[in-house]
Amino acid sequence: MAIEFTAFARATEGRGASRRMRRAGKAPGIVYGGTAKPTPIELDHNALFHALRNEAFHSSILTMKLDGAATKVLLRDVQMHPFRNEILHVDFQRVDENRKIHMKVPLHFINGEKSPAVKLNGAIVSHVTTELDISCLPKDLPEFIEVDLIELNVGHSMHVSALKLPAGVTAVPQKTDPVVATAVVPRAQVETEEELAAAAAAGGAEGAAPAATPAEAAAPAAAEKKEEKKDDKKK
């Protein structure tokens, strides 16, 4: 589903103008790229703030309505106030349908609870990477990439090279093959299992009496016969 938003041309620039704009419930921004010059814009602050809470707004081709025209753009940067829910500035980039773009898109993990690591070993799956830097034409840009963990085993990791990417999408090359997810059994669980095994082994050793040798078994009977002979001599 296409995401649209409305922007307005901004006539004034500078810190003072931006402060007045924010007090009026507006958020300053800019749109750049393509053959046109960078254009200062302003947006309704509350509408933009709620739009930013939508994951797809960060990783989709957006339609910006400005001065009666619709332009395809990407969200490139958002500057937030250090401790207030206030947008200080926002950057958008115009999209050329014929040129590849680089974007970071979120990873959505599925079937972790069905993996052998979790079902058979009680492991915890850790999502090491939550987004992926990709390259593609604007028409092929996915909102997210699905990561299927159905075959993940304990002690193993899933790497970027193992991901199934949509058609037309490639991962931006890196020096290493980054880990996406891994499965590890909690240390406390391992220690508990080892303690239980050790206790069971110790209990078995204590409960079983050692077998007597033939000499040890015959000793009581020999001693009893000696006592009988002493008694007969006394009589």
Side-chain angles (χ1 to χ4, degrees):
M1 182 180 67
I3 301 177
E4 298 182 354
F5 69 96
T6 301
F8 305 92
R10 176 161 54 102
T12 58
E13 297 185 58
R15 293 182 179 180
S18 295
R19 284 196 295 268
R20 290 191 295 273
M21 192 182 306
R22 287 190 285 268
R23 284 198 296 267
K26 303 292 184 180
I30 192 169
V31 57
Y32 58 85
T35 57
K37 293 181 179 180
T39 303
I41 58 174
E42 63 181 54
L43 305 94
D44 180 87
H45 182 278
N46 289 341
L48 178 60
F49 184 81
H50 287 293
L52 290 172
R53 299 175 67 181
N54 180 3
E55 182 184 70
F57 194 82
H58 295 258
S59 58
S60 301
I61 304 295
L62 310 172
T63 300
M64 181 184 70
K65 293 183 177 181
L66 176 64
D67 293 335
T71 305
K72 299 295 185 182
V73 299
L74 291 169
L75 175 65
R76 280 308 192 188
D77 186 53
V78 179
Q79 298 175 31
M80 298 293 297
H81 192 279
F83 55 86
R84 292 200 299 262
N85 288 329
E86 181 181 19
I87 302 166
L88 300 180
H89 197 274
V90 61
D91 294 5
F92 295 97
Q93 180 185 0
R94 298 182 186 95
V95 171
D96 184 342
E97 295 290 341
N98 299 313
R99 296 185 63 180
K100 286 189 174 184
I101 56 176
H102 283 189
M103 284 287 291
K104 286 186 177 181
V105 296
L107 300 179
H108 287 189
F109 297 87
I110 63 170
N111 293 326
E113 71 284 356
K114 298 179 182 178
S115 67
V118 176
K119 290 188 68 176
L120 302 180
N121 299 284
I124 293 177
V125 177
S126 175
H127 301 162
V128 180
T129 304
T130 57
E131 59 182 11
L132 181 66
D133 195 2
I134 64 167
S135 173
C136 64
L137 288 172
K139 67 180 181 64
D140 297 323
L141 180 64
E143 289 186 11
F144 60 87
I145 292 174
E146 197 170 76
V147 181
D148 193 347
L149 302 175
I150 190 67
E151 297 181 356
L152 187 63
N153 277 300
V154 169
H156 292 76
S157 300
M158 176 173 281
H159 294 258
V160 167
S161 59
L163 298 180
K164 295 180 180 178
L165 301 179
V169 176
T170 58
V172 174
Q174 300 187 40
K175 293 182 180 180
T176 59
D177 188 8
V179 174
V180 175
T182 187
V184 179
V185 177
R187 176 181 292 274
Q189 180 175 325
V190 173
E191 291 176 348
T192 300
E193 291 177 353
E194 291 177 349
E195 289 172 358
L196 290 174
E206 292 175 0
T213 63
E216 291 173 337
E224 186 176 347
K225 287 182 178 179
K226 287 182 179 179
E227 291 294 331
E228 290 178 354
K229 288 180 180 178
K230 289 181 181 179
D231 291 339
D232 289 343
K233 288 180 179 179
K234 290 179 180 179
K235 291 179 182 179

